[in-house]
């Protein structure tokens, strides 16, 4: 009886430590993401103000269009780089948070989302798996009255 309580206590402590670790990882990742977003905003502001200065000094329509095209291209590339950075940041967070679950359960994430791992419809609908009740066809002879 005490073994059961000891196991429950150990599971509770490890579960709590895993939860606290996950919360800490989320907080750290969100802090890093915030810093990355602020840096992105600063870079975007600097690039846009530089483009506006260049546009103000443009003498012809052709040069203004070239300046604007270069700005838009650089802006798009900056946005793609920022999206990749954020994706990698949160992908790493998901791997870190999922690592304890993957180690303890003994199966990976693809197996977790495989429906046949938990529910096999053929086995579920197989009549051999239904309980045998007295008075019904196929019931054991010893239980039938």
């Amino acid at each position: 009886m005490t073994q059961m309580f000891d196991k429950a206590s150990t599971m509770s402590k490890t579960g709590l430590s895993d939860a606290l670790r996950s919360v800490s990882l989320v907080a750290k990742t969100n802090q890093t993401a915030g810093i990355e977003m602020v840096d992105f905003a600063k870079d975007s502001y600097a690039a846009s103000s530089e483009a506006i200065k260049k546009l103000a000094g443009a003498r012809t329509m052709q040069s203004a269009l070239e300046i604007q095209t270069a700005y838009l291209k650089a802006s798009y590339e900056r946005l793609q780089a920022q999206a990749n950075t954020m994706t990698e940041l949160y992908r790493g967070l998901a791997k870190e948070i999922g690592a304890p679950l993957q180690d303890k359960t003994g199966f990976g994430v693809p197996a977790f989302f495989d429906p046949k791992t938990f529910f096999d419809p053929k086995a579920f609908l197989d009549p051999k798996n239904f309980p045998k009740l007295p008075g019904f066809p196929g019931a054991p002879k010893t239980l039938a009255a």
Side-chain angles (χ1 to χ4, degrees):
M1 185 72 133
T2 58
Q3 282 181 332
M4 187 170 50
F5 289 119
D6 290 340
K7 283 183 182 180
S9 173
T10 304
M11 288 174 57
S12 175
K13 287 178 186 176
T14 58
L16 183 61
S17 67
D18 287 346
L20 289 175
R21 184 178 155 276
S22 296
V23 168
S24 173
L25 286 171
V26 168
K28 203 178 296 184
T29 302
N30 284 340
Q31 182 179 12
T32 305
I35 292 168
E36 288 289 331
M37 289 179 143
V38 167
D39 290 344
F40 175 72
K42 285 180 184 178
D43 291 344
S44 294
Y45 180 76
S48 65
S49 63
E50 183 68 29
I52 289 173
K53 286 178 187 175
K54 287 180 182 178
L55 280 173
R59 300 283 183 215
T60 64
M61 184 63 127
Q62 180 68 25
S63 64
L65 287 176
E66 289 173 1
I67 291 169
Q68 189 173 12
T69 303
Y71 166 72
L72 290 175
K73 182 179 178 185
S75 178
Y76 177 72
E77 289 171 355
R78 221 177 22 258
L79 181 62
Q80 272 189 320
Q82 179 68 14
N84 288 337
T85 301
M86 299 304 278
T87 300
E88 289 301 318
L89 194 64
Y90 282 105
R91 183 178 291 151
L93 173 66
K95 285 181 183 178
E96 286 288 322
I97 288 177
L101 176 67
Q102 192 170 12
D103 292 342
K104 289 180 184 175
T105 56
F107 59 85
V109 174
F112 182 75
F113 290 107
D114 183 21
K116 290 191 177 181
T117 304
F118 293 107
F119 175 71
D120 186 12
K122 290 181 182 176
F124 180 74
L125 298 174
D126 189 10
K128 290 184 250 176
N129 294 330
F130 284 103
K132 307 295 185 212
L133 300 174
F136 288 98
K141 304 266 187 233
T142 56
L143 293 178

